[in-house]
């Protein structure tokens, strides 16, 4: 179908709309698979072309997939054709007589709408099940803190300030360790003769390691973003492009994908749980402003980790100061009622409790 469409496109002809059924005689294996799976592919393909004609810049023409890339299909539940036996840990899929043994991550109730079965390039299979339910699993909890400011960094993944104080969140240590391992596997793979058995083995080893790191990183980002969204009503982050930090050697591998994913997670979780996420514009000098007196330190260099405010004499940890400024932006939001704001501000001159309750030893913040 893709080939036909692409050829018509090249010849500037009308893009044909055909159905998978047409191909069943020529390719008998299509009769073996579930027709809804084929139908979904057709719909996706049509959508891809529609998107492309709507916005050619954003949506490129669909391409043929490589055999080694992630593969997947989606099928819909019709008259209980998709079922899960939680006790026996079996997933029943259309066209398969027996259930497939699965590793269950959670149980659910509600009506199964569809399932997406995928195989990643490290050879593992996943099934993601879409369920319609009256009792969504994710319950909204009352936020304990009015606002929260997050400064993303390199030395630490993030510095977070909220009503309870400031906290530095470390990069997960295993990620650094894995970097080295990945380099070795990459080297071993590139040394092998292309297409050989050993090369395929090395490719799998590398793909598995990549998958492990991606999973571990996502786990970390999900847990952190969930905790932040649970705890705070208004969450303020800076525009990460401001920093120009990605030029640094360390940054590339550890931080770059992490930050943008983290923001994506914060965004949709904020929406789910009724929180406000604010991304301050790139001209807001979160690092250069003294959070105590408001003086703007134009001389602050990128590698100044601490600085002393020339106006009021306060010594600042660069990241903590930035996160406090972002926190203040959050406090100023209409979601935080003026009365609540006053209560928070009463606790100390800077809106922070005297002893930050969650600061790690050795990375203390305010001098009060
Ligand atoms: Zn100052």
């Amino acid at each position: 179908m893709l080939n036909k469409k692409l050829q018509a496109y090249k010849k500037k002809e009308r893009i044909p709309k055909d159905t998978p059924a047409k191909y069943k005689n020529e390719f008998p294996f299509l009769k073996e698979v579930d027709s809804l799976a084929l139908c979904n592919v057709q719909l996706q393909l049509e959508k891809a072309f529609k998107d492309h004609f709507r916005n050619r810049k954003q949506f490129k023409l669909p391409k043929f997939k490589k055999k080694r890339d992630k593969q997947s299909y989606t099928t819909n539940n019709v008259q209980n054709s998709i079922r899960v036996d939680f006790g026996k840990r079996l997933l029943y899929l259309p066209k398969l007589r027996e259930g497939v043994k699965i590793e269950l991550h959670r149980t659910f109730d509600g009506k199964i709408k569809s399932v997406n079965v995928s195989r990643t390039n490290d050879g593992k299979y996943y099934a993601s099940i879409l369920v319609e339910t009256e009792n969504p699993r994710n319950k909204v909890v009352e936020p304990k803190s009015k606002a929260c400011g997050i400064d993303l960094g390199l030395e630490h993944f993030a510095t977070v300030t909220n009503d309870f104080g400031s906290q530095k969140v470390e990069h997960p240590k295993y990620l650094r360790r894995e970097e080295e391992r990945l380099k070795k596997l990459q080297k071993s793979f590139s040394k092998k003769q292309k297409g050989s058995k050993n090369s395929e083995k090395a490719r799998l080893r590398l793909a598995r390691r990549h998958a492990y790191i991606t999973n571990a990183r996502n786990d970390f980002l999900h847990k952190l973003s969930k905790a932040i969204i649970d705890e705070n009503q208004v969450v303020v982050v800076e525009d990460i492009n401001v920093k120009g930090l990605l030029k640094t050697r360390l940054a590339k591998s550890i931080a770059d994908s992490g930050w943008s994913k983290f923001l994506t997670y914060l965004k949709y979780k904020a929406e789910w749980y009724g929180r406000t996420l604010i991304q301050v514009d790139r001209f807001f000098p979160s690092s250069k402003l003294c959070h105590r007196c408001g003086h703007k330190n134009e001389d602050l260099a990128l590698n100044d980790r601490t600085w002393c405010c020339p106006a009021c004499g306060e010594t600042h940890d660069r990241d903590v100061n930035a996160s406090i400024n972002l926190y203040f932006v959050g406090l100023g939001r209409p979601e935080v009622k003026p009365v609540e704001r006053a209560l928070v501000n009463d606790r100390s001159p800077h809106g922070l409790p005297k002893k930050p309750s969650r600061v790690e030893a050795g990375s203390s913040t305010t001098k009060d």
Side-chain angles (χ1 to χ4, degrees):
M1 288 192 289
L2 174 58
N3 190 32
K4 266 200 178 165
K5 280 184 170 32
L6 285 178
Q7 279 180 353
Y9 181 84
K10 265 185 211 152
K11 291 183 204 150
K12 303 208 158 95
E13 287 167 7
R14 235 182 93 87
I15 308 282
K17 257 193 188 176
D18 36 358
T19 60
K22 265 196 182 170
Y23 298 84
K24 282 190 177 175
N25 281 333
E26 194 180 343
F27 305 102
F29 67 86
L30 289 176
K31 290 177 188 164
E32 290 169 30
V33 303
D34 160 12
S35 60
L36 279 172
L38 296 178
C39 186
N40 281 319
V41 172
Q42 182 199 344
L43 292 177
Q44 281 162 13
L45 181 60
E46 273 159 22
K47 184 176 179 296
F49 273 88
K50 219 181 258 169
D51 285 343
H52 176 70
F53 290 129
R54 195 164 45 83
N55 185 345
R56 285 169 201 245
K57 253 190 189 159
Q58 197 183 345
F59 300 99
K60 300 275 174 261
L61 268 183
K63 282 187 289 194
F64 286 104
K65 285 183 179 157
K66 287 193 184 114
K67 206 176 167 190
R68 271 178 193 157
D69 287 348
K70 182 175 169 173
Q71 309 237 9
S72 73
Y73 79 96
T74 301
T75 184
N76 309 70
N77 189 13
V78 181
Q79 291 172 341
N80 249 2
S81 58
I82 302 168
R83 297 184 307 282
V84 177
D85 186 329
F86 290 116
K88 289 182 187 151
R89 299 180 165 248
L90 292 173
L91 169 65
Y92 293 90
L93 292 167
K95 288 269 183 181
L96 295 179
R97 248 173 237 146
E98 281 170 43
V100 185
K101 258 220 160 318
I102 49 171
E103 213 171 291
L104 267 175
H105 296 281
R106 51 161 77 170
T107 60
F108 55 81
D109 44 33
K111 201 177 153 214
I112 294 178
K113 305 294 284 182
S114 64
V115 61
N116 178 272
V117 178
S118 58
R119 196 194 68 186
T120 53
N121 69 351
D122 62 335
K124 282 187 179 163
Y125 288 84
Y126 293 87
S128 159
I129 301 170
L130 179 69
V131 178
E132 196 174 72
T133 177
E134 281 177 13
N135 305 306
R137 187 187 177 89
N138 300 328
K139 297 253 157 61
V140 176
V141 291
E142 267 304 297
K144 292 191 193 97
S145 163
K146 303 295 163 225
C148 165
I150 306 171
D151 175 79
L152 294 167
L154 280 181
E155 259 174 75
H156 297 87
F157 177 77
T159 307
V160 183
T161 295
N162 69 5
D163 299 0
F164 304 109
S166 302
Q167 184 191 29
K168 292 195 172 185
V169 181
E170 303 271 355
H171 285 284
K173 286 213 174 62
Y174 50 79
L175 287 184
R176 279 176 208 230
R177 203 172 55 221
E178 289 296 332
E179 290 291 307
E180 286 305 305
R181 213 158 159 182
L182 217 48
K183 252 185 239 159
K184 269 185 208 159
L185 289 174
Q186 178 67 53
K187 220 173 175 181
S188 140
F189 171 57
S190 46
K191 270 188 191 161
K192 302 276 188 305
Q193 200 187 334
K194 280 246 161 84
S196 70
K197 259 191 183 168
N198 281 332
S199 157
E200 176 60 15
K201 273 189 207 161
R203 186 195 67 81
L204 257 185
R205 270 199 297 271
L206 183 64
R208 273 193 209 119
R209 240 30 237 172
H210 268 298
Y212 171 81
I213 294 170
T214 307
N215 291 343
R217 183 191 276 133
N218 286 347
D219 183 60
F220 162 73
L221 296 175
H222 272 301
K223 282 175 179 158
L224 182 62
S225 55
K226 176 75 163 65
I228 286 171
I229 290 296
D230 272 350
E231 200 168 76
N232 305 285
Q233 179 57 54
V234 179
V235 178
V236 186
V237 286
E238 67 201 317
D239 187 330
I240 48 174
N241 298 330
V242 182
K243 297 210 141 179
L245 283 173
L246 294 178
K247 288 167 204 149
T248 326
R249 176 181 58 88
L250 221 176
K252 203 69 202 133
S253 43
I254 298 180
D256 55 359
S257 68
W259 285 349
S260 51
K261 251 189 194 164
F262 183 61
L263 290 180
T264 311
Y265 293 174
L266 279 177
K267 255 180 220 159
Y268 80 75
K269 287 184 163 98
E271 213 166 283
W272 280 6
Y273 297 99
R275 308 297 205 244
T276 308
L277 179 77
I278 298 157
Q279 222 168 325
V280 296
D281 88 47
R282 46 183 312 185
F283 300 109
F284 180 72
S286 59
S287 300
K288 288 179 181 169
L289 281 182
C290 166
H291 77 258
R292 192 172 171 195
C293 73
H295 175 79
K296 189 174 167 190
N297 185 359
E298 295 286 3
D299 301 329
L300 190 69
L302 202 61
N303 52 3
D304 289 339
R305 303 315 308 166
T306 56
W307 58 281
C308 192
C309 174
C312 73
E314 179 90 359
T315 310
H316 295 300
D317 173 301
R318 179 198 186 92
D319 303 336
V320 171
N321 179 60
S323 77
I324 292 173
N325 282 322
L326 294 167
Y327 165 72
F328 285 164
V329 171
L331 279 187
R333 291 283 305 191
E335 287 85 345
V336 179
K337 296 177 197 93
V339 179
E340 292 169 337
R341 222 176 289 158
L343 284 176
V344 172
N345 283 330
D346 269 353
R347 278 194 252 165
S348 83
H350 316 315
L352 291 172
K354 302 230 153 114
K355 267 187 194 158
S357 54
R358 299 185 306 146
V359 169
E360 289 163 30
S363 60
S364 180
T365 60
T366 43
K367 276 197 155 181
D368 299 296

